[in-house]
Amino acid sequence: QVQLVESGGGFVQPGGSLRLSCAASRIIFSTYNMGWYRQAPGKQRELVAVINVRGLSNYTIAVRGRFTISRDSAKNTVYLQMNSLKSEDTAVYYCNAGTSLGGTPGNYWGQGTQVTVSS
């Protein structure tokens, strides 16, 4: 069974940075697009960023210029570097395997990691 395990969430002040990691197992990582989604309280889950197997990435407008998605096939891990964090970035962040560049999620999800941005 595919496993996606997120880590790196936490509490940070506005303007701060966090790096999320998602370690994948039991999939051929190099053949999957990988994505990060988030869900804030009372809101629908939304795409944050996606990276395809060639390293091409796409971002939701709200995070462009602040967040960077990357992947390391040697470690079967996808990262989300989040800089200049804002209170509106507060959400549970989920890793997804099989995300299309257009944002359609794949079949596999991690358990989520909480990111809280507050002063």
Side-chain angles (χ1 to χ4, degrees):
Q1 188 172 352
V2 174
Q3 284 192 328
L4 302 174
V5 179
E6 300 101 332
S7 61
F11 183 95
V12 64
Q13 292 186 337
S17 298
L18 284 174
R19 188 176 82 153
L20 305 183
S21 300
C22 171
S25 58
R26 303 193 181 109
I27 61 171
I28 303 175
F29 182 78
S30 61
T31 67
Y32 278 81
N33 292 357
M34 298 297 296
W36 286 97
Y37 288 74
R38 67 186 179 186
Q39 187 166 18
K43 295 188 177 180
Q44 289 188 331
R45 192 173 297 189
E46 63 172 356
L47 176 72
V48 176
V50 55
I51 186 166
N52 75 357
V53 297
R54 291 188 172 89
L56 183 66
S57 58
N58 195 18
Y59 300 87
T60 190
I61 291 175
V63 307
R64 285 178 189 171
R66 301 188 297 122
F67 291 11
T68 303
I69 190 171
S70 61
R71 61 189 298 158
D72 185 338
S73 291
K75 296 181 178 180
N76 284 7
T77 299
V78 62
Y79 303 97
L80 185 68
Q81 177 66 44
M82 305 186 295
N83 298 328
S84 302
L85 282 160
K86 305 175 181 181
S87 58
E88 51 263 44
D89 296 318
T90 295
V92 178
Y93 283 70
Y94 297 91
C95 178
N96 179 260
T99 316
S100 75
L101 281 178
T104 303
N107 292 328
Y108 306 113
W109 293 95
Q111 81 287 353
T113 186
Q114 176 71 48
V115 171
T116 303
V117 184
S118 175
S119 55

